[in-house]
C-alpha cells in the first residue's frame, strides 16, 4: 500500500494547571533508565471504529482531556535535562516543567480498518506512519516531548497512536495513564477523582550516589545493522489453545509453569527451530519484569515511573531443541524467579562501575515487550471500546509485543520476523494447530 498520510495539524498540549507548581520538580534517572537512553521511543496504539461525532469535536475532546490527565501524570509533560560534568561525562534528569506533549492530527482516507487488522506485508509500510515518535531516541527527550500522541482518521475508523520515552515510564505506568486519559475523556470530567496524588518511584538504589555520571550517549553513532527485510504478523492464541499449551508444558516440566510462560516458550522454541541458527549459537528470551513488588521494601503497584528490569533467559539452540517445551518454559520461569531485590541492586551497582548504553538488543533473541496483564480494551474515549491494539516502530527481528486478546483469556502477539521464518511457521502444521497467524 502506497497511500499517503496527510498531517492536518500539530500542536502542544500542556497540563491544564500548567502554572500550578508540581510536588516534584526533578526526577533523577536510575541505571535502568540510563541504560535505555539510546533505544527508540516505545510506540503503541488503539484502533476504533469511526465515531458518530464530528472529528473536530473528537480532536478537541481528546486534547482537553489529555490536558487534564497531564495534571496528574505531570512527568510526561516534562523534558530531559542533560548537564555537562567536569570529568567529561554528562548527567540526566527529568525536569517536570510542564513543557507539554506533542499532539498530531492526521488523515489516511484510503486506509480501512481491515488494512490495520491484517498487518499484511513487509515493514516499514504506511501503518508505521500512524505513530508519532518513529526515529526518536530516548536521549532526544531534551528537546522532544517525553510523550507523543497522534490521532489518525482512516476511512472507517480512528487510530490513536502514542510513543513514550522509557526513561520516564514503563509499560505498566503508561497504560495506567492511557486508562485515566480515556476515562476522563469519556466522562468529560476533571473531577478530583482523577487528580489524586501521583506516587513516584523515588530513588531506591541506596548504595549508588546520584546524579550518575555517564559518557554522552550522543557522542557515538547510534546507527546499527538492521534488516529492512522483515515481516509483521499477528499471532492469536485462543483461550482453549492457551489452556492446551499450559497443560502440555506442565506435563513436561518439573515445576509449575504459568499459561503465559507456556505460550512464550512455545513461540520461542518454534521461532528458533525455523531460524536456521547452528546448534552452538546462543539464543535469549528477553522479558520485562515489573520490579515494584520485588524490591525491598516493595513499592506501591500504582507507583509511576520506569520500574522495569529486563530478565534474560540464555540457552544454546541445541539445548532448546533437544530439551523441548517444558524445559524451555522452566528457563523462563527460573529467570523470572531470580529477579530479586538483591539481584536488581547488584546489577545497578555493576552497571555504574562498567557503564554500557546499548543501541539495540541481539537480532537472534526473542524480545518480549508489553504484557497480557494490561487491559487495553477498557480504553473507551467516549465513542466505544477499541477493536484492536497494535505496536509501532522501531522494528526489530524477534520482537514480540504481547497484548491481551479481545476474546476472554485469549492472547495476541505482534511478531516481527524474517520472511523465511514466517514462511516456515506458516507451513508448520503443529504451530498452526495452536497459533492462528494473521
Amino acid at each position: 500500500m502506497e497511500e499517503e498520510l496527510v498531517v492536518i495539524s500539530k500542536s502542544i498540549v500542556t497540563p491544564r494547571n500548567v502554572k500550578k507548581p508540581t510536588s516534584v520538580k526533578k526526577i533523577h534517572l536510575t541505571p535502568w533508565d540510563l541504560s535505555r537512553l539510546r533505544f527508540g521511543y516505545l510506540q503503541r496504539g488503539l484502533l476504533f471504529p469511526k465515531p458518530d461525532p464530528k472529528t473536530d469535536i473528537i480532536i478537541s475532546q481528546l486534547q482537553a482531556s489529555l490536558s487534564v490527565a497531564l495534571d496528574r501524570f505531570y512527568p510526561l509533560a516534562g523534558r530531559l535535562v542533560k548537564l555537562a560534568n567536569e570529568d567529561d561525562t554528562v548527567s540526566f534528569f527529568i525536569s517536570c516543567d510542564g513543557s507539554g506533549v506533542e499532539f498530531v492530527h492526521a488523515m489516511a482516507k484510503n486506509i480501512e480498518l481491515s488494512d490495520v487488522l491484517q498487518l499484511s506485508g513487509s515493514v516499514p509500510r504506511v501503518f508505521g506512519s500512524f505513530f508519532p515518535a518513529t526515529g526518536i531516541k530516548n536521549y532526544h527527550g531534551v528537546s522532544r516531548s517525553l510523550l507523543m500522541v497522534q490521532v489518525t482518521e482512516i476511512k472507517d475508523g480512528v487510530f490513536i497512536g502514542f510513543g513514550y520515552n522509557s526513561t520516564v515510564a514503563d509499560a505498566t505506568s503508561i497504560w495506567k495513564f492511557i486508562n485515566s486519559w480515556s476515562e476522563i475523556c469519556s466522562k468529560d470530567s476533571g473531577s478530583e477523582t482523577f487528580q489524586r496524588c501521583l506516587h513516584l518511584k523515588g530513588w531506591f538504589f541506596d548504595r549508588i550516589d546520584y546524579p550518575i555520571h555517564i559518557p554522552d550517549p550522543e557522542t557515538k553513532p547510534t546507527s546499527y545493522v538492521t534488516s529492512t527485510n522483515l515481516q509483521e504478523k499477528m499471532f492469536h492464541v485462543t483461550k482453549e489453545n492457551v489452556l492446551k499449551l499450559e497443560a502440555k508444558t506442565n506435563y513436561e516440566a518439573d515445576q509449575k509453569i504459568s499459561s503465559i510462560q507456556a505460550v512464550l516458550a512455545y513461540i520461542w522454541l518454534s521461532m528458533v527451530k525455523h531460524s536456521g541458527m547452528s546448534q552452538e549459537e546462543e539464543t535469549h528470551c528477553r522479558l520485562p519484569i515489573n520490579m515494584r513488588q520485588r524490591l525491598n521494601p516493595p513499592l506501591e503497584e500504582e507507583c509511576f515511573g520506569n520500574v522495569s528490569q529486563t530478565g534474560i533467559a540464555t540457552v544454546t539452540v541445541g539445548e532448546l531443541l533437544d530439551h523441548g517445551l517444558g524445559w524451555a518454559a522452566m528457563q523462563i520461569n527460573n529467570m523470572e524467579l531470580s529477579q530479586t531485590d538483591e539481584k536488581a541492586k547488584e546489577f545497578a551497582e555493576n552497571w555504574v562501575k562498567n557503564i554500557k548504553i546499548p543501541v539495540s538488543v541481539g537480532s537472534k533473541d526473542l524480545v518480549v515487550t508489553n504484557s497480557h496483564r494490561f487491559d487495553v480494551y477498557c480504553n473507551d474515549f467516549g465513542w466505544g471500546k477499541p477493536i484492536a491494539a497494535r505496536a509501532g516502530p522501531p522494528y526489530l527481528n524477534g520482537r514480540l509485543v504481547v497484548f491481551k486478546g479481545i476474546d476472554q483469556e485469549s492472547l495476541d502477539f505482534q511478531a516481527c520476523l524474517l520472511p523465511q521464518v514466517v514462511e516456515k511457521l506458516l507451513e508448520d502444521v503443529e504451530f498452526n494447530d495452536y497459533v492462528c497467524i494473521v
Side-chain angles (χ1 to χ4, degrees), residues 92-374:
F92 284 85
F93 66 87
I94 297 168
S95 173
C96 302
D97 59 5
S99 291
V101 167
E102 296 176 39
F103 188 101
V104 178
H105 173 204
M107 181 179 291
K109 60 183 179 181
N110 293 323
I111 303 297
E112 299 181 359
L113 290 171
S114 58
D115 297 323
V116 179
L117 291 171
Q118 287 171 1
L119 269 182
S120 57
S122 59
V123 295
R125 54 190 192 292
V126 70
F127 180 57
S129 65
F130 285 19
F131 297 89
T134 301
I136 306 297
K137 305 292 185 183
N138 285 327
Y139 62 73
H140 289 143
V142 296
S143 58
R144 304 300 298 268
S145 61
L146 303 181
L147 171 69
M148 300 179 181
V149 175
Q150 180 173 320
V151 181
T152 304
E153 299 176 64
I154 60 176
K155 187 175 181 179
D156 52 355
V158 170
F159 190 85
I160 300 179
F162 58 92
Y164 65 97
N165 190 308
S166 54
T167 68
V168 71
D170 56 17
T172 298
S173 289
I174 207 71
W175 281 113
K176 284 178 180 173
F177 164 75
I178 298 296
N179 296 160
S180 294
W181 176 23
S182 63
E183 188 176 358
I184 293 167
C185 191
S186 65
K187 295 183 177 179
D188 193 24
S189 171
S191 69
E192 291 305 312
T193 58
F194 298 110
Q195 299 307 315
R196 60 190 183 276
C197 179
L198 184 69
H199 295 283
L200 297 180
K201 64 182 180 184
W203 189 265
F204 44 79
F205 292 117
D206 298 335
R207 301 191 292 260
I208 299 175
D209 293 330
Y210 62 85
I212 299 171
H213 290 203
I214 64 170
D216 191 335
E218 295 186 73
T219 56
K220 293 183 179 180
T222 56
S223 61
Y224 58 95
V225 177
T226 182
S227 175
T228 56
N229 186 28
L230 295 172
Q231 286 189 358
E232 275 203 305
K233 293 291 181 183
M234 292 302 300
F235 295 166
H236 179 69
V237 186
T238 64
K239 175 184 176 180
E240 179 185 11
N241 283 337
V242 168
L243 294 174
K244 284 182 179 178
L245 281 172
E246 183 181 13
K248 175 179 171 66
T249 307
N250 276 287
Y251 179 76
E252 297 180 16
D254 297 329
Q255 53 195 240
K256 175 61 180 172
I257 302 297
S258 69
S259 58
I260 187 65
Q261 290 171 339
V263 178
L264 286 175
Y266 185 72
I267 293 175
W268 185 23
L269 182 62
S270 301
M271 287 169 56
V272 169
K273 180 172 71 173
H274 296 305
S275 67
M277 294 168 63
S278 68
Q279 295 272 313
E280 298 77 25
E281 287 186 80
E282 279 193 345
T283 177
H284 309 87
C285 178
R286 296 174 178 266
L287 198 64
I289 308 295
N290 181 352
M291 296 297 295
R292 287 166 177 79
Q293 294 295 303
R294 295 170 183 260
L295 294 172
N296 185 21
L299 304 179
E300 295 184 27
E301 269 303 326
E302 290 291 320
C303 173
F304 184 87
N306 173 33
V307 197
S308 175
Q309 176 169 277
T310 301
I312 306 173
T314 303
V315 300
T316 66
V317 170
E319 287 173 332
L320 191 64
L321 298 181
D322 289 345
H323 292 294
L325 179 60
W327 185 85
M330 286 194 294
Q331 308 315 302
I332 296 175
N333 184 48
N334 290 335
M335 174 271 290
E336 289 196 56
L337 292 172
S338 72
Q339 306 302 308
T340 62
D341 174 78
E342 192 53 40
K343 282 286 183 67
K345 290 172 179 174
E346 181 183 330
F347 161 82
E349 289 160 23
N350 290 336
W351 187 88
V352 171
K353 295 173 186 174
N354 183 23
I355 293 171
K356 293 181 180 179
I357 306 175
V359 175
S360 182
V361 293
S363 61
K364 298 175 182 178
D365 298 352
L366 178 65
V367 183
V368 181
T369 63
N370 215 55
S371 172
H372 66 296
R373 294 186 178 91
F374 305 142

Side-chain angles (χ1 to χ4, degrees), residues 8-148:
I8 307 299
S9 66
K10 292 183 177 182
S11 58
I12 298 290
V13 177
T14 57
R16 180 180 57 175
N17 296 317
V18 67
K19 294 182 180 179
K20 180 182 177 182
T22 58
S23 56
V24 176
K25 297 287 188 184
K26 180 187 292 189
I27 301 172
H28 289 284
L29 300 190
T30 70
W32 291 342
D33 308 326
L34 295 168
S35 63
R36 290 171 163 85
L37 278 172
R38 294 171 75 191
F39 289 170
Y41 276 37
L42 294 174
Q43 301 195 97
R44 305 288 181 257
L46 299 170
L47 181 66
F48 299 86
K50 200 171 188 68
D52 291 331
K54 292 182 178 179
T55 305
D56 56 348
I57 296 174
I58 291 170
I59 297 298
S60 63
Q61 287 176 340
L62 287 169
Q63 290 174 326
S65 55
L66 176 59
S67 180
V68 174
L70 290 173
D71 260 356
R72 180 174 183 234
F73 293 88
Y74 56 87
L76 293 171
R79 295 290 185 272
L80 285 185
V81 174
K82 181 171 73 172
L83 299 177
N85 301 313
E86 292 180 356
D87 57 359
D88 293 328
T89 64
V90 295
S91 299
F92 284 85
F93 66 87
I94 297 168
S95 173
C96 302
D97 59 5
S99 291
V101 167
E102 296 176 39
F103 188 101
V104 178
H105 173 204
M107 181 179 291
K109 60 183 179 181
N110 293 323
I111 303 297
E112 299 181 359
L113 290 171
S114 58
D115 297 323
V116 179
L117 291 171
Q118 287 171 1
L119 269 182
S120 57
S122 59
V123 295
R125 54 190 192 292
V126 70
F127 180 57
S129 65
F130 285 19
F131 297 89
T134 301
I136 306 297
K137 305 292 185 183
N138 285 327
Y139 62 73
H140 289 143
V142 296
S143 58
R144 304 300 298 268
S145 61
L146 303 181
L147 171 69
M148 300 179 181

